[in-house]
Amino acid sequence: QVQLVESGGGLVQAGGSLRLSCAASGGTFSSYVMAWFRQAPGKEREFVAAMSWSAGSTKYADFVKGRFTISRDNAKNTVYLQMDSLKPEDTAVHYCAARGGSITYSAARKYDYWGQGTQVTVPS
């Protein structure tokens, strides 16, 4: 059973940066597609970014292109989300997710494993 634990969330002023981390255990991390999703109060969970196990394929939501960067370190079983130029609308609980295979799906239902989430708050 894969376990995912996110960290790195917090409160940051608009225009600032945060780096989220997701540590994985209990599975063969290097064979999983890793992704980040977020959910704001009263809204559905939405896709942010995903990366294949080899890091050869990445996908981003349009609203984060040029601001966020997903990366992974298979030796450390960790995936990161570097978030720059943060905006108040980025305020949400951010979740790490994993699935087997190599396709970087953007649909939450395609992912089998989820972390507990970490809160990111950008005051307006």
Side-chain angles (χ1 to χ4, degrees), residues 37-109:
F37 289 78
R38 70 186 189 184
Q39 188 167 17
K43 295 187 177 181
E44 294 187 354
R45 190 168 299 190
E46 63 180 353
F47 172 76
V48 175
M51 175 174 276
S52 64
W53 65 270
S54 66
S57 175
T58 59
K59 179 182 289 184
Y60 292 94
D62 288 343
F63 59 78
V64 302
K65 285 182 179 178
R67 299 192 298 126
F68 293 5
T69 303
I70 188 171
S71 62
R72 64 191 295 164
D73 186 336
N74 287 342
K76 295 183 178 180
N77 288 359
T78 301
V79 63
Y80 305 97
L81 185 68
Q82 177 66 42
M83 305 187 295
D84 299 318
S85 303
L86 282 161
K87 305 175 182 180
E89 50 263 44
D90 294 319
T91 295
V93 178
H94 285 65
Y95 296 91
C96 176
R99 68 178 306 276
S102 60
I103 300 176
T104 52
Y105 290 107
S106 59
R109 67 182 186 277

Side-chain angles (χ1 to χ4, degrees), residues 2-7 20-26 29 34 36 73 76-80 96 98 114-116:
V2 175
Q3 294 183 326
L4 305 174
V5 179
E6 303 96 334
S7 61
L20 305 184
S21 299
C22 172
S25 62
F29 177 78
M34 302 299 298
W36 289 95
D73 186 336
K76 295 183 178 180
N77 288 359
T78 301
V79 63
Y80 305 97
C96 176
W114 292 85
Q116 83 289 348

